[in-house]
């Protein structure tokens, strides 16, 4: 009995334990199912606000600037050539590459011996011609006197003939005497004809003498010109280039010795498109005398010269497009013919346009403006000009609007934004930001100074200015970057 009782008790406890485990498993299952069947809590979504840079559109009058690239050249460039062949006997000290000469200065002299001998012969021929003319004049005077004497003889013989006839009429003269007188008159008349022929020959001799004298004078003038051609003088003040001759050298006729360039008469030639060319015309279709600025970048110090548009090319040119324009430069110090420069031309003023950043417009010519609810609205605009990083636009309702300065793919109509005000377009144009300054190590500063001092192509004014900047404790970063880019560092 005792064994049976213990067995039943163990079976009871085992059954109770299994029941509790089943009940606990059911509770866990129900809890998991209840958890899985619950819906997640709904969170209230908040609208995202973007921070944007905006500029205030202020329409007004703007002067667009047209940018082109051109080459500096001289309006007066003369090729110095030898007019006569020979040996170069003398050269001026300034007759070297880059030599400065003044107007009328003797630059070179070619051996004048042959030209001088020809001049002496021409002078002798002229003296002979003058002597011949004087002798012809005297011969004409003598011939005219002889003609007068012959005519006087005719008059006397006619008087003698008339006396003989009167004697015959009175019966006291002889017929033979009359005939003799008639023969004498006839002989005197023949003498007059001979003297007239002599006068005509004397007059012809004078004409020939005058012709010979003129010919001798022309020959003398040519001889003097040939002698003068042995001297080469400067036609105007300027600078010599392409010098190819030395003292003692043998030159041929028309051989180029050098080029004379007037550095005080510089101009810039550049090419613009046809569309840009039309913007530079006035109401009558003529080229305006628009202000022009030519800029040459020289190691951070830009050489600049101002001028005005002067003329345009007569033809487009084979294989070319657009128009070739020329502008006179005033006080172009530091510029040389052949310099490649940036040319900016002021166009005619445009009214009622706003200056905005170029990043504010899209391909559809729309800008985004911020309304009163701080939301973006697209506004169509008319694109008038592109000016570097800016644009000139015109639109109704644009005055005073806050325009997004930089468009991104995240920005669009209806987006709520937080504007960050920046300068207006006109203020950004007028304000020049200060250059970033760098502190240089002594080694780096010495390397930059050595490069600038050893660059012979740099103008003296630019070298002095840059060395002064490099000598300061802090140097503009633009100057350092420009020099190091040319050093290859």
């Amino acid at each position: 009995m005792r064994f049976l009782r213990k067995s039943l008790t163990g079976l009871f406890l085992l059954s109770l334990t299994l029941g509790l485990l089943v009940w606990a498993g059911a509770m866990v299952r129900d809890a998991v199912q209840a958890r899985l069947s619950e819906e997640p809590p709904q969170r209230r979504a908040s609208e995202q606000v973007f921070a944007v840079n905006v500029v205030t559109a202020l329409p007004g009058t703007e002067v667009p600037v047209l940018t082109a690239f051109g080459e500096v050249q001289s309006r007066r460039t003369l090729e110095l050539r030898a007019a006569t062949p020979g040996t170069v006997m003398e050269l001026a000290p300034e007759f070297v590459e880059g030599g400065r000469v003044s107007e009328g200065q003797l630059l070179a002299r070619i051996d004048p011996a042959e030209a001088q001998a020809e001049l002496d012969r021409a002078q002798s021929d002229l003296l002979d011609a003058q002597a011949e003319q004087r002798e012809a004049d005297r011969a004409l005077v003598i011939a005219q006197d002889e003609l007068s004497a012959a005519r006087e003889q005719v008059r006397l013989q006619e008087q003698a003939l008339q006396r003989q006839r009167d004697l015959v009429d009175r019966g006291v003269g002889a017929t033979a005497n009359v005939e003799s007188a008639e023969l004498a008159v006839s002989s005197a008349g023949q003498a007059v004809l001979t003297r007239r022929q002599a006068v005509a020959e004397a007059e012809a001799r004078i004409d020939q003498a005058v012709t010979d004298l003129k010919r001798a004078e022309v020959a003398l003038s040519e001889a003097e010109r040939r002698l003068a051609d042995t001297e080469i003088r400067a036609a105007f003040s300027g600078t010599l280039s392409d010098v190819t001759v030395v003292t003692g050298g043998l030159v041929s006729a028309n051989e180029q010795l050098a080029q004379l360039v007037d550095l005080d008469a510089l101009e810039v030639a550049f090419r613009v498109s046809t569309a840009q060319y039309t913007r530079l015309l006035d109401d009558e279709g003529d080229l305006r005398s628009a202000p022009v600025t030519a800029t040459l970048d020289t190691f951070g110090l830009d050489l600049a010269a101002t001028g005005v548009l002067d003329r345009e090319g007569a033809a487009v040119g084979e294989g070319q497009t657009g128009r070739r324009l020329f502008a006179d430069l005033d006080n172009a110090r530091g510029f040389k013919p052949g310099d490649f420069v940036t040319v900016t031309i002021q166009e005619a003023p445009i009214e009622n346009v706003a200056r905005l950043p170029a990043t504010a417009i899209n391909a559809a010519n729309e800008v985004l403006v911020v309304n009163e609810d701080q939301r973006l609205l697209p506004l169509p605009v008319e694109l008038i000009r592109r000016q570097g990083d800016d644009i000139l636009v015109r639109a109704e309702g644009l005055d005073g609007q806050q325009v997004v300065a930089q468009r991104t793919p995240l920005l669009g109509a209806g987006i709520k934004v937080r504007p960050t005000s920046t300068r207006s377009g006109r203020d950004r144009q007028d304000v020049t930001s200060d250059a970033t300054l760098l502190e240089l190590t002594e080694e780096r500063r010495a390397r930059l100074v050595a490069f600038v001092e050893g660059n012979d192509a740099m103008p003296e004014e630019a070298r002095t200015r840059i060395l002064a900047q490099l000598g300061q404790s802090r140097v503009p970063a633009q100057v350092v970057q420009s020099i190091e880019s040319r050093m290859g560092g």
Side-chain angles (χ1 to χ4, degrees), residues 41-347:
Q42 299 292 334
R43 295 183 178 180
R44 185 177 181 182
S46 60
E47 183 177 7
Q48 186 175 2
V49 180
F50 295 89
V52 294
N53 293 328
V54 296
V55 294
T56 304
L58 300 175
T61 301
E62 296 284 348
V63 180
V65 176
L66 189 154
T67 302
F69 299 96
E71 182 181 0
V72 176
Q73 61 187 26
S74 176
R75 292 193 302 272
R76 293 200 299 177
T77 301
L78 178 64
E79 293 182 351
L80 300 179
R81 294 182 178 271
T84 59
T87 303
V88 179
M89 303 297 294
E90 179 183 352
L91 285 179
E94 295 82 6
F95 201 91
V96 291
E97 186 72 24
R100 296 281 298 181
V101 298
S102 57
E103 183 178 357
Q105 179 180 352
L106 177 62
L107 303 180
R109 188 192 305 275
I110 300 175
D111 187 4
E114 184 176 351
Q116 184 64 49
E118 184 177 355
L119 176 62
D120 294 340
R121 288 193 296 269
Q123 290 176 342
S124 299
D125 294 340
L126 179 62
L127 294 176
D128 292 341
Q130 292 173 346
E132 175 63 22
Q133 185 181 27
R134 290 193 297 270
E135 185 178 353
D137 291 337
R138 290 193 295 268
L140 177 60
V141 172
I142 294 174
Q144 289 175 344
D145 292 341
E146 290 178 347
L147 177 60
S148 300
R151 287 175 177 173
E152 182 65 22
Q153 288 292 327
V154 170
R155 186 181 67 80
L156 294 176
Q157 293 296 335
E158 289 177 347
Q159 290 179 355
L161 175 60
Q162 185 63 36
R163 283 196 300 271
Q164 293 297 327
R165 287 175 178 174
D166 291 341
L167 291 175
V168 171
D169 292 338
R170 286 184 291 177
V172 293
T175 304
N177 293 335
V178 174
E179 291 176 354
S180 297
E182 290 177 352
L183 290 174
V185 171
S186 177
S187 298
Q190 186 64 35
V192 170
L193 292 177
T194 302
R195 298 304 177 216
R196 289 179 60 187
Q197 182 66 30
V199 170
E201 291 176 355
E203 291 176 349
R205 183 181 177 183
I206 289 179
D207 295 337
Q208 183 64 37
V210 171
T211 302
D212 293 341
L213 179 60
K214 290 293 185 183
R215 188 177 293 111
E217 291 175 350
V218 171
L220 178 62
S221 177
E222 291 181 354
E224 291 175 346
R225 178 178 57 80
R226 291 191 184 94
L227 181 60
D229 287 341
T230 60
E231 295 182 353
I232 300 176
R233 297 183 179 272
F236 52 85
S237 300
T239 304
L240 296 177
S241 66
D242 298 337
V243 177
T244 59
V245 67
V246 294
T247 304
L250 184 64
V251 296
S252 59
N254 203 37
E255 179 179 347
Q256 180 175 331
L257 308 182
Q259 278 192 346
L260 180 59
V261 181
D262 188 357
L263 298 183
D264 296 329
L266 295 182
E267 63 181 8
V268 58
F270 56 96
R271 186 173 294 274
V272 298
S273 65
T274 305
Q276 293 172 331
Y277 168 73
T278 57
R279 301 173 191 167
L280 301 176
L281 301 179
D282 56 18
D283 296 336
E284 298 179 355
D286 298 327
L287 191 66
R288 296 187 303 105
S289 298
V292 173
T293 301
T295 306
L296 177 64
D297 183 14
T298 55
F299 296 91
L301 176 63
D302 292 340
L303 294 177
T306 59
V308 293
L309 281 179
D310 179 48
R311 64 192 187 280
E312 57 186 289
V316 177
E318 184 177 357
Q320 302 290 338
T321 60
R323 299 291 185 269
R324 184 173 173 85
L325 305 180
F326 301 87
D328 291 337
L329 297 180
D330 301 328
N331 193 21
R333 297 181 57 187
F335 285 85
K336 300 291 183 182
D339 283 339
F340 187 74
V341 297
T342 302
V343 184
T344 56
I345 309 100
Q346 294 185 11
E347 301 181 17

